[in-house]
C-alpha cells in the first residue's frame, strides 16, 4: 500500500509540474505493481498441498517419513514458492531436542503449470510426546518482491511417541513390600490354595472345605478359612505440576517420572492385576483441541507462534484412567503418558482431594513425585487413614531435598519410599528402599 501511495503522489506531482517523463515512469510503475499483485494472488490461489505420513505412532528412537505433495492447478507457472511444514518450535529448540529433522523441511521450489512437486523429510523421535505435524505454510509473490501472499493447506497430522518402558526386576505382588500387594479389605473371592485358619463347621459348607485333621483332633467338624484372592494391583498417581519440576533439571526429570510410571504400569499389567493412572498434568490432545489450527495466517511468523504451546494452562480437571484389568488397559495408560504435559493447574494435594473417591481401596496407591511439600504429605496421609496402602517414588532429588521429603512422609506414617536417581536404577526400583537413618541413600532388600 505504501508503494501505491508513493507512486500516486509522484504521479500527481508530475502532472502539476507537467513532467511527462516522470508521469510516464509512474504510470509504468503503477501498472507493474497492479500486474504483480494480480499475478501473486493468482499464483497462490492455484497452489494446493497434501501430506503423507508413514505412520502416526512411534517409539523413542524411531524415524517417521513425511512426504509433502504440492500441486499447481493454475494455468500459469509459479516462479517461486517457499514451502514450510510446521512443527512445534518448542520441540525443536529444546536442549536436547524432542524431535530431530533429517532432510529439508523448508524448501523453495518452482511450480510449472498443471504440475506437482514432492518434498520429503524425516522426523527422528528422541522423546515421547504428542506432536502436531503441519499445517503446510506456502509463501509466493512477484519477481520484484513487492507483493507476497501466504496460504495454509494440508491439514495437520498428529504424531504420538510412546514413553520408554523399562522391565522391572523383582516385582512381586505377593512380596512384603507395600508397592506390591496388600490384603483385600473386602473378601470378594477366596484363594483355595492359601489357608489362613480354621473355624467351626457351619451348615452348608462343602466337604472339600472340611479340615479333617482339625476335625479328628477336636472331635468336632471344622472348616478351612482361605485367604482372599491377592490383590488388586496399583493406581499410579503422577505429579506433573510445573512447580515440582525446576527448569534446571528439565526435561530429564519429567521424562524420568513418565518412564517410571509407564514401567510400573507395565509390571502390574504383565502380572494380570488391575492398574490405573491419575495425574494433574494436561493432555496435549485437549490443548490442541482448544487452540485449534484453522486460522488466516498473514505472515509466516504468525503461523510459527500459533503452533507453539501456550505457557499457561487453566485446566483443573485431572487426567484419569480408571483402575481396571484388561488387554487394552496398559495401552490406554501408555497413550495417556505419551500425551501428558506439565501444567500449572491442580496441585498434588488438590488432585488427591479431587480423585480420592475414584480410587479402589484394594489397589496400592503409588505416588510418583518430583517433590514432597507439606500439603502433599498430608494428602497422602489422608489416603492412608482412609485405608489405602500408599507408596512413594521420589524422582531425581538432591540429598537435602530427599531428606526433607522423606521426613515429611515419615511424619505422616508413610514408610514405603523409593528414590529414583536415574533411569539406570529404574530396573531395580522395586528392590530398593530409602534407608530410614540416612534417607538419601539406598539399600537393597534381600
Amino acid at each position: 500500500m505504501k508503494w501505491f501511495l508513493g507512486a500516486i503522489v509522484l504521479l500527481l506531482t508530475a502532472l502539476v509540474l507537467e513532467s511527462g517523463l516522470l508521469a510516464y515512469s509512474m504510470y509504468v510503475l503503477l501498472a507493474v505493481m497492479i500486474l504483480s499483485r494480480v499475478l501473486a494472488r493468482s499464483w497462490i490461489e492455484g497452489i494446493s498441498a497434501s501430506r503423507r505420513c508413514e505412520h502416526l505412532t512411534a517409539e523413542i528412537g524411531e524415524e517417521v517419513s513425511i512426504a509433502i505433495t504440492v500441486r499447481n492447478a493454475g494455468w500459469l507457472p509459479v516462479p517461486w514458492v517457499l514451502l514450510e511444514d510446521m512443527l512445534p518450535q518448542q520441540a525443536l529448540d529444546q536442549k536436547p531436542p524432542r524431535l530431530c529433522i533429517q532432510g529439508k523441511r523448508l524448501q523453495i521450489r518452482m511450480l510449472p503449470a498443471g504440475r506437482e512437486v514432492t518434498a520429503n523429510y524425516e522426523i527422528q523421535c528422541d522423546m515421547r510426546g504428542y506432536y502436531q505435524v503441519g499445517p503446510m505454510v506456502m509463501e509466493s509473490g512477484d519477481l520484484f518482491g513487492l507483493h507476497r501472499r501466504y496460504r495454509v493447506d494440508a491439514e495437520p497430522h498428529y504424531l504420538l511417541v510412546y514413553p520408554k518402558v523399562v522391565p522391572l526386576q523383582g516385582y512381586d505382588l505377593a512380596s512384603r513390600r507395600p508397592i506390591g500387594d496388600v490384603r483385600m479389605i473386602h473378601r470378594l473371592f477366596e484363594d483355595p490354595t492359601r489357608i489362613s485358619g480354621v473355624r467351626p463347621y457351619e451348615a452348608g459348607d462343602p466337604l472339600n472345605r472340611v479340615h479333617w485333621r482339625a476335625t479328628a483332633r477336636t472331635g468336632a467338624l471344622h472348616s478351612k478359612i482361605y485367604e482372599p484372592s491377592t490383590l488388586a494391583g496399583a493406581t499410579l498417581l503422577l505429579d506433573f505440576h510445573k512447580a515440582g519440576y525446576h527448569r534446571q533439571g528439565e526435561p530429564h526429570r519429567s521424562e524420568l517420572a513418565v518412564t517410571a510410571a509407564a514401567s510400573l504400569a507395565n509390571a502390574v499389567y504383565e502380572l494380570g492385576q488391575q492398574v490405573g493412572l491419575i495425574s494433574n498434568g494436561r493432555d496435549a490432545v485437549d490443548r490442541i483441541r482448544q487452540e485449534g489450527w484453522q486460522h488466516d495466517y498473514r505472515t509466516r511468523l504468525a503461523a510459527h507462534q500459533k503452533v507453539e504451546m501456550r505457557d499457561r494452562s487453566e485446566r483443573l480437571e485431572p487426567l484419569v484412567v480408571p483402575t481396571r484389568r484388561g488387554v487394552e488397559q496398559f495401552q490406554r495408560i501408555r497413550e495417556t503418558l505419551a500425551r501428558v504435559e506439565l501444567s500449572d493447574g491442580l496441585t498434588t494435594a488438590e488432585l488427591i482431594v479431587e480423585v480420592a473417591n475414584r480410587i479402589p481401596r484394594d489397589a496400592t496407591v503409588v505416588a510418583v513425585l518430583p517433590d514432597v511439600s507439606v500439603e502433599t504429605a498430608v494428602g497422602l496421609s489422608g489416603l492412608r487413614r482412609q485405608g489405602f496402602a500408599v507408596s512413594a517414588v521420589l524422582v531425581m532429588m538432591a540429598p537435602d531435598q530427599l531428606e526433607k521429603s522423606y521426613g515429611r512422609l515419615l511424619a505422616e506414617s508413610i514408610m514405603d519410599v523409593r528414590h529414583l536417581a536415574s533411569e539406570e536404577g529404574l530396573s531395580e526400583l522395586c528392590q530398593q528402599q530409602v534407608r530410614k537413618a540416612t534417607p538419601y541413600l539406598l539399600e537393597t532388600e534381600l
Side-chain angles (χ1 to χ4, degrees), residues 9-21:
V9 170
L10 288 176
L11 177 59
L12 294 177
T13 303
L15 294 177
V16 171
L17 298 177
E18 297 183 354
S19 175
L21 183 59

Side-chain angles (χ1 to χ4, degrees), residues 183 187 190-191 193-198 224-228:
R183 288 180 180 271
R187 295 170 173 258
E190 293 181 324
D191 187 350
T193 65
R194 303 176 63 184
I195 301 175
S196 63
V198 295
K224 303 172 187 175
I225 300 176
Y226 298 121
E227 290 278 0

Side-chain angles (χ1 to χ4, degrees), residues 294-306:
Q294 295 182 355
H295 299 272
D296 182 15
Y297 301 108
R298 297 298 180 182
T299 65
R300 289 175 54 247
L301 178 60
H304 272 287
Q305 293 174 345
K306 188 59 187 177

Side-chain angles (χ1 to χ4, degrees), residues 223-266:
S223 298
K224 303 172 187 175
I225 300 176
Y226 298 121
E227 290 278 0
S229 311
T230 52
L231 176 169
T235 300
L236 303 174
L237 193 153
L238 176 63
D239 178 11
F240 232 54
H241 195 278
K242 281 185 177 181
Y245 295 87
H246 193 273
R247 184 178 302 177
Q248 185 176 358
E250 284 303 292
H252 303 288
R253 176 181 278 187
S254 59
E255 293 305 305
L256 182 57
V258 170
T259 302
S263 301
L264 288 168
N266 180 60

Side-chain angles (χ1 to χ4, degrees), residues 42-58:
S42 175
W43 287 335
I44 199 65
E45 290 179 352
I47 300 175
S48 61
S50 61
R51 181 187 305 98
R52 185 177 68 256
C53 295
E54 184 180 8
H55 49 83
L56 296 177
T57 58

